[in-house]
Amino acid sequence: MKPVKVGLLGLGTVGCGTVNVLLRNGEEIARRAGRQIQVSQASVRELDKRRNCPTDGIALTQDSTAIVSSPEIDVVVELIGGHDPARQLVLQAIAAGKHIVTANKALIAVHGNEIFRAAREKGVMVAFEAAVGGGIPIIKAIREGLSGNRIEWVAGIINGTGNFILTEMRDRGRSFDEVLADAQRLGYAEADPSFDVAGIDAAHKLTILASIAFGIPLQFEKTYTEGIADVTRADVKYAEELGYRIKHLGIARHAENGVELRVHPTLIPERRLIANVNGIMNAILIKGDALGPTMYYGAGAGADPTASAIVADLVDVVRTLTADPNNRVPHLAFHADALSDLKILSMEDVQTSYYLRMRVHDRPGVLAEIAQLLASQQISIEAVIQKEPAEGENVVPLIMLTHRVLEKNMNAALTQIETLESIQGKVVRLRMEHLDSDWK
Ligand code: HSE
């Protein structure tokens, strides 16, 4: 049978990784797919640039539209990233009857509903394993491996750059900016690294995970997003003294009154496996009602790991080229006409435990005043540490952990606490989750 012809939009880190993996493992990949997979065209910004992969046999062009409309191409692999022109090119390719493989999480999270609709009308596949968790086959695991479960929650470290920064701050006391510069040099960070730091990249990925876990449309705009820029070394150290690690988590939870979709720094008990996922690695913990908790761990970024996911998608596309489009695995795991309109909760309606750090005057009655304001909002304290004042100072750090409470109650309590004369400055507030298997 003649090889399946692939057109790459973009031949940077991941594009070259894909070419290298297809060349290196071509024979085994063909034995799995049933046909050879050949990259025959690629669009690039500069034709003469030195690349990390051989380009013999690949027609290079600066015109991506020529690839998406080329009669020779069966599958378009979109590796440009971002919204437009990636969105227009993908829609043009679909209109021309091409199958799509993409690593673009922004594209799927924000424009996925539109893209999947167009793909269904044309009977083509859009595969996006590489968009979440780099090389970890998490989309396939949820969409197929867990399809017998009612998924209760998903909690993941899904941005490698952010995890690398938090790990280096904790383990080596390195500064935020220095570690971010390393992540950029190593090719892990997004083209705009503020996407990593501000949590937007993780929010894109969480949006996708939540859709396939709960059978809801993609709703990036409703995902609460908080980055890691305000996490200080002091908080990392105090959390550790209390037996917790601070991780930047994406959490999607099917609660009784709706769905929680939230990305924020989170204290988790240090004994949890996921608390020990360090550096650039990603991990996604999923609780299914039948299976219980499972964790998926691996490289969340980088040329070969991301290529591993792209090539797996190519194999899936090739295997189903001749299958009836109505009997393929649905893009978002659930059939398009069976998606549910479950409400996405606002943060005020989310319940979590909290870590609070404040600077207080060291005198009698201060702790009682704070405890009383917390109690007035039904907030129960789990632990308290008060540090020694620095030489000649009368203001000390006071750290508290609380039990679970609605965020609106915590907001009300903090507003009152911050008006106390005995408190200096703002209260630092981080959310805390125990992620135990009883959490529903
Ligand atoms: N910037 C992303 C990360 C790359 O650091 O996880 C992989 O999506």
Side-chain angles (χ1 to χ4, degrees), residues 103 105 130-134 158-163 183 187-191 195-196 201 205 280 282 300-302 306:
K105 47 261 162 147
V132 185
I158 43 182
N159 181 267
T161 301
N163 199 40
Y188 298 140
E190 294 301 294
F195 273 46
D196 298 291
D201 178 75
K205 294 166 178 167
I280 201 67
N282 280 197
T306 312

Side-chain angles (χ1 to χ4, degrees), residues 83-100:
H83 301 272
D84 280 319
R87 174 184 153 274
Q88 289 135 341
L89 288 165
V90 162
L91 288 172
Q92 280 171 27
I94 291 171
K98 318 285 183 213
H99 299 277
I100 307 292

Side-chain angles (χ1 to χ4, degrees), residues 28-357:
E28 274 186 66
I29 291 166
R31 281 168 56 212
R32 291 186 175 118
R35 284 169 75 177
Q36 283 196 334
I37 300 175
Q38 209 176 73
V39 176
S40 63
Q41 299 181 28
S43 64
V44 291
R45 247 183 269 154
E46 292 167 56
L47 289 169
D48 296 329
K49 200 174 142 184
R50 260 180 68 87
R51 297 179 199 282
N52 294 329
C53 57
T55 54
D56 349 326
I58 305 177
L60 299 186
T61 170
Q62 287 174 308
D63 181 9
S64 295
T65 53
I67 296 185
V68 301
S69 57
S70 164
E72 180 203 43
I73 295 296
D74 302 298
V75 189
V76 169
V77 178
E78 184 276 309
L79 301 171
I80 298 171
H83 301 272
D84 280 319
R87 174 184 153 274
Q88 289 135 341
L89 288 165
V90 162
L91 288 172
Q92 280 171 27
I94 291 171
K98 318 285 183 213
H99 299 277
I100 307 292
V101 172
T102 179
N104 187 339
K105 47 261 162 147
L107 180 77
I108 298 298
V110 179
H111 308 289
N113 298 321
E114 175 192 20
I115 288 170
F116 297 145
R117 200 175 315 116
R120 279 195 303 278
E121 280 164 15
K122 252 342 231 186
V124 296
M125 289 180 69
V126 177
F128 51 94
E129 184 65 73
V132 185
I136 306 171
I138 189 64
I139 303 293
K140 202 171 204 43
I142 302 179
R143 203 160 54 179
E144 299 177 43
L146 299 180
S147 55
N149 287 258
R150 177 184 186 276
I151 294 178
E152 292 172 1
W153 51 264
V154 176
I157 295 173
I158 43 182
N159 181 267
T161 301
N163 199 40
F164 182 50
I165 294 172
L166 290 178
T167 305
E168 292 285 302
M169 275 169 72
R170 179 176 66 89
D171 291 355
R172 295 187 228 278
R174 294 178 68 201
S175 80
F176 191 102
D177 291 337
E178 192 192 341
V179 189
L180 175 60
D182 268 6
Q184 286 179 282
R185 190 176 43 76
L186 294 166
Y188 298 140
E190 294 301 294
D192 176 353
S194 70
F195 273 46
D196 298 291
V197 171
I200 299 162
D201 178 75
H204 286 144
K205 294 166 178 167
L206 183 74
T207 302
I208 299 171
L209 290 175
S211 279
I212 58 171
F214 306 137
I216 54 175
L218 296 150
Q219 295 165 84
F220 171 69
E221 69 292 349
K222 294 192 186 151
T223 305
Y224 173 80
T225 308
E226 205 179 287
I228 54 168
D230 294 334
V231 176
T232 64
R233 270 160 53 189
D235 293 317
V236 171
K237 191 163 71 61
Y238 295 143
E240 198 141 287
E241 280 179 38
L242 289 156
Y244 293 85
R245 299 252 164 97
I246 301 178
K247 291 289 178 189
H248 192 224
L249 289 190
I251 297 176
R253 189 166 83 97
H254 194 166
E256 269 168 32
N257 47 346
V259 172
E260 296 176 3
L261 277 183
R262 48 193 173 100
V263 169
H264 51 72
T266 313
L267 271 77
I268 42 183
E270 67 190 359
R271 62 183 179 279
R272 294 269 175 272
L273 265 182
I274 196 165
N276 295 284
V277 170
N278 292 321
I280 201 67
M281 301 308 271
N282 280 197
I284 300 122
L285 187 55
I286 302 183
K287 168 84 188 299
D289 70 331
L291 177 61
T294 45
M295 195 171 96
Y296 308 82
Y297 168 85
D304 273 22
T306 312
S308 163
I310 302 247
V311 173
D313 273 350
L314 282 170
V315 171
D316 263 0
V317 169
V318 173
R319 281 174 178 155
T320 55
L321 274 179
T322 51
D324 169 5
N326 294 320
N327 286 318
R328 291 184 188 143
V329 180
H331 294 116
L332 290 177
F334 293 69
H335 281 278
D337 56 5
L339 292 184
S340 103
D341 58 359
L342 276 170
K343 179 179 163 204
I344 308 297
L345 297 175
S346 83
M347 277 312 278
E348 292 252 294
D349 295 325
V350 165
Q351 270 206 3
T352 64
S353 312
Y354 288 88
Y355 159 101
L356 306 175
R357 175 170 60 83

